[in-house]
Amino acid sequence: MDTIKLIEYILAKPYLFTGGENLTALRYFQFGYDFCKASNGILSDSPEKYSLLPADWRLFTDYIRCSLTYDEPNADWYDILMTYFGDKEGYRMFVNYFDSFRRLEIKSYKRTPITDEQQRTFAEHTGGKINPYCYYAVCLADSAGWLSAYETESKIIQRRKFFKDEAALMDDAYSLFGGEFSWFSVTGVNELNFKKPVRMEITGKTK
């Protein structure tokens, strides 16, 4: 059972797992479950993904941070909700945010080829182990934010970041590739599927 399914199960029976509306109990139950899985070498049983959505749990902290404009880089979703709302109200807000997070939909997207010069710039950041040739910027419905990914010969690598707006995503794109982009936009869509598997980027600080 992956983290998303675990939390769905916990929220369905809160008094069984957390004794009621208790954000701290939820957090430590999740910690304990993850620790037991790691200690026993149990890998996630999540199915292969060919889309950026449903959103990966590892993006949830960034989603909360963007929603509440929280600037502390080392805080995770629990720290942020406790700071803003406290334990009981934080639990209720967690339920709302988690539900919205699981229901994210795509509004539109655009893609751009990555030039040879941009690949060289990207290689300086990654050590040259990955050679992307296409980059995707994805706008989510209801002004929920933006996601991004880059395509290689064998897979789609999703950035381990959730962006509050297009400007934040573009700043990130320029920091990775530099140069100018040649965008091709697609509107009026609610999904973006790939023929290659989607992998979450290994690097990143999202918890």
Side-chain angles (χ1 to χ4, degrees), residues 102-174:
R102 296 298 291 142
R103 297 175 183 272
L104 291 173
E105 293 183 348
I106 291 174
K107 176 182 178 181
S108 62
Y109 69 91
K110 55 185 181 179
R111 65 178 184 269
T112 179
I114 302 301
T115 66
D116 291 343
E117 182 178 352
Q118 288 174 322
Q119 284 190 352
R120 287 191 291 270
T121 300
F122 183 83
E124 294 176 2
H125 295 287
T126 63
K129 297 180 180 180
I130 301 174
N131 295 309
Y133 65 83
C134 187
Y135 178 84
Y136 295 85
V138 178
C139 177
L140 300 174
D142 302 320
S143 301
W146 289 71
L147 299 174
S148 67
Y150 45 87
E151 184 171 3
T152 70
E153 289 295 334
S154 61
K155 56 191 172 183
I156 307 296
I157 302 179
Q158 185 173 0
R159 283 287 278 161
R160 197 172 173 178
K161 291 186 177 183
F162 196 100
F163 302 97
K164 181 178 179 62
D165 50 38
E166 186 177 6
L169 182 147
M170 289 302 162
D171 287 344
D172 183 69
Y174 284 120

Side-chain angles (χ1 to χ4, degrees), residues 47-53 156 192-198:
E48 192 84 279
K49 286 183 61 176
Y50 290 87
S51 175
L52 304 187
L53 297 176
I156 307 296
L192 170 59
N193 296 317
F194 302 98
K195 294 182 179 180
K196 302 173 184 178
V198 175

Side-chain angles (χ1 to χ4, degrees), residues 65-105:
R65 182 179 289 115
C66 289
S67 299
L68 293 173
T69 316
Y70 194 83
D71 295 329
E72 172 52 54
N74 295 319
D76 68 2
W77 58 267
Y78 171 76
D79 300 322
I80 298 170
L81 292 178
M82 283 293 287
T83 298
Y84 271 82
F85 305 108
D87 210 340
K88 187 171 183 178
E89 186 61 26
Y91 179 94
R92 295 172 180 172
M93 294 304 299
F94 175 89
V95 173
N96 291 333
Y97 281 121
F98 182 76
D99 183 63
S100 298
F101 184 72
R102 296 298 291 142
R103 297 175 183 272
L104 291 173
E105 293 183 348

Side-chain angles (χ1 to χ4, degrees), residues 24-82:
T24 299
L26 187 153
R27 175 59 158 165
Y28 282 103
F29 192 98
Q30 181 224 333
F31 264 172
Y33 184 84
D34 290 345
F35 177 78
C36 289
K37 284 181 62 177
S39 298
N40 290 279
I42 300 174
L43 301 177
S44 174
D45 58 355
S46 299
E48 192 84 279
K49 286 183 61 176
Y50 290 87
S51 175
L52 304 187
L53 297 176
D56 190 288
W57 168 253
R58 289 168 288 184
L59 296 173
F60 186 66
T61 286
D62 267 3
Y63 176 68
I64 295 292
R65 182 179 289 115
C66 289
S67 299
L68 293 173
T69 316
Y70 194 83
D71 295 329
E72 172 52 54
N74 295 319
D76 68 2
W77 58 267
Y78 171 76
D79 300 322
I80 298 170
L81 292 178
M82 283 293 287

